[in-house]
DNA sequence: CCAGACGTTGTT
DNA sequence: GTCTGG
DNA sequence: CCAGACGTTGTT
DNA sequence: GTCTGG
């Protein structure tokens, strides 16, 4: 699954890689979590790619309130085609790393950060919807990240992973007019060789810890961190 | 016709 | 909203 | 994903 | 345990 990720790449570099029109202000996100506003791309009616901030956690149009979104943070690739709640429009959620927690027998879960081998940004296959509050009339755009089975790199850590689209597949995913069969075929684990994974501090567990420290590699075999060590700032 | 459901994750 | 069940 | 909350009564 | 919030 994918319940936490990072996007620290400067917006200029994102524009070069993904080719969207806008020049938004984008603060680095070391520890992005559900219900937060995240950076995404959508295909506009003009056929161009547009940047959008979407609330992470899909809220279907029929929902009574936003609370369902906290649980709709992922959509299984295996069920995207059938489930009514996921008959949504496609988007690309921009990232440069994601976190997975490996369960351990005795010790607490060990978090890992997974990035591209070259450190560059990438896009998760996403779905988005628009929800309007019946009372206030306020509209909120929300999104979810599609997941699939783990590839060889992720299997020792976790059995699911987000769908990471190869750059050449992004256009086919974003174009809702493209064949559903072609889009469905993109929802598979990316090659293990393009990714690397490394353990990070359990400081990432806490959403409020949104600082460069949470993406720093944790030294293997290092003694358990003390609360004092966890509290130090960089 | 109306009423009511509609979803994910995890489980080494 | 859209679909299923009654 | 993890962290943290999770409830009732009353209403002179 | 289950649910919500970030």
């Amino acid at each position: 699954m994918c319940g936490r990720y990072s996007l620290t790449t400067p917006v200029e570099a994102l524009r070069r890689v993904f080719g969207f029109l806008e020049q938004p202000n984008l603060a680095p996100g070391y520890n992005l979590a559900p219900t937060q506003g995240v950076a995404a791309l959508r295909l506009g009616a003009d056929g161009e790619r547009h940047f959008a901030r979407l609330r992470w956690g899909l809220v279907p149009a029929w929902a009574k309130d936003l609370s369902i979104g906290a649980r709709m943070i992922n959509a299984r690739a295996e069920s995207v085609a059938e489930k009514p709640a996921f008959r949504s429009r496609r988007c690309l959620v921009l990232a440069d790393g994601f976190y997975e927690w490996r369960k351990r027998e005795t010790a607490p879960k060990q978090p890992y950060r997974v990035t591209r081998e070259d450190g560059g940004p990438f896009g998760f296959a996403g779905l988005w919807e628009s929800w309007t509050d019946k009372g206030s009339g306020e509209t909120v755009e929300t999104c979810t990240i599609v997941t699939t089975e783990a590839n060889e790199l992720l299997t020792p850590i976790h059995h699911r992973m987000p769908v990471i689209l190869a750059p050449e597949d992004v256009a086919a995913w974003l174009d809702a007019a493209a064949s559903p069969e072609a889009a469905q075929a993109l929802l598979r684990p990316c090659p293990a060789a393009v990714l690397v994974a490394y353990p990070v501090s359990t400081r990432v567990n806490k959403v409020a810890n949104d600082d460069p420290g949470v993406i720093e590699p944790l030294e293997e075999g290092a003694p358990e961190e003390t609360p004092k060590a966890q509290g130090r700032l960089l």
Side-chain angles (χ1 to χ4, degrees):
Chain A
M1 112 171 278
C2 179
R4 212 72 73 78
Y5 73 94
S6 66
L7 178 61
T8 64
T9 305
V11 73
E12 297 77 22
L14 295 173
R15 276 186 97 221
R16 280 197 298 275
V17 172
F18 295 106
F20 50 88
L21 300 178
E22 294 77 9
Q23 293 182 280
N25 292 318
L26 197 59
Y30 300 94
N31 198 356
L32 297 166
T35 73
Q36 296 178 345
V38 298
L41 289 192
R42 295 182 293 197
L43 205 60
D46 56 4
E48 302 286 348
R49 294 181 181 184
H50 292 277
F51 180 93
R53 285 180 207 279
L54 306 175
R55 186 185 203 262
W56 184 11
L58 197 76
V59 179
W62 43 262
K64 290 181 183 65
D65 57 55
L66 286 169
S67 65
I68 192 173
R71 300 190 296 286
M72 305 282 274
I73 65 172
N74 294 125
R76 292 173 61 88
E78 298 89 332
S79 55
V80 159
E82 308 94 76
K83 303 293 185 182
F86 293 139
R87 282 173 204 163
S88 316
R89 290 164 282 188
R90 297 174 197 152
C91 65
L92 190 76
V93 178
L94 306 185
D96 53 25
F98 64 96
Y99 300 99
E100 296 287 356
W101 281 256
R102 181 171 62 85
K103 188 156 188 172
R104 296 183 292 187
E105 297 254 332
T106 54
K109 289 183 186 177
Q110 174 62 56
Y112 289 78
R113 181 164 183 255
V114 183
T115 67
R116 279 179 56 105
E117 190 275 337
D118 63 11
F122 51 85
F124 297 129
L127 302 169
W128 71 276
E129 275 198 33
S130 185
W131 174 84
T132 300
D133 187 296
K134 289 279 199 303
S136 68
E138 184 195 5
T139 290
V140 182
E141 292 182 328
T142 65
C143 66
T144 190
I145 294 171
V146 180
T147 62
T148 186
E149 61 189 320
N151 65 20
E152 286 177 16
L153 179 75
L154 270 295
T155 293
I157 303 171
H158 197 66
H159 70 117
R160 303 287 297 177
M161 68 181 285
V163 172
I164 294 171
L165 295 175
E168 62 269 26
D169 291 334
V170 169
W173 175 251
L174 290 180
D175 186 0
S179 98
E181 295 77 22
Q184 186 67 32
L186 301 175
L187 302 182
R188 51 186 157 66
C190 73
V194 309
L195 301 176
V196 292
Y198 61 91
V200 294
S201 163
T202 54
R203 285 189 70 245
V204 76
N205 292 8
K206 202 177 180 70
V207 174
N209 292 331
D210 181 20
D211 60 71
V214 302
I215 70 172
E216 274 197 357
L218 185 72
E219 303 224 2
E220 286 280 24
E224 279 303 290
E225 296 175 296
T226 65
K228 196 203 300 192
Q230 289 178 16
R232 89 194 183 308
L233 294 175
L234 292 167

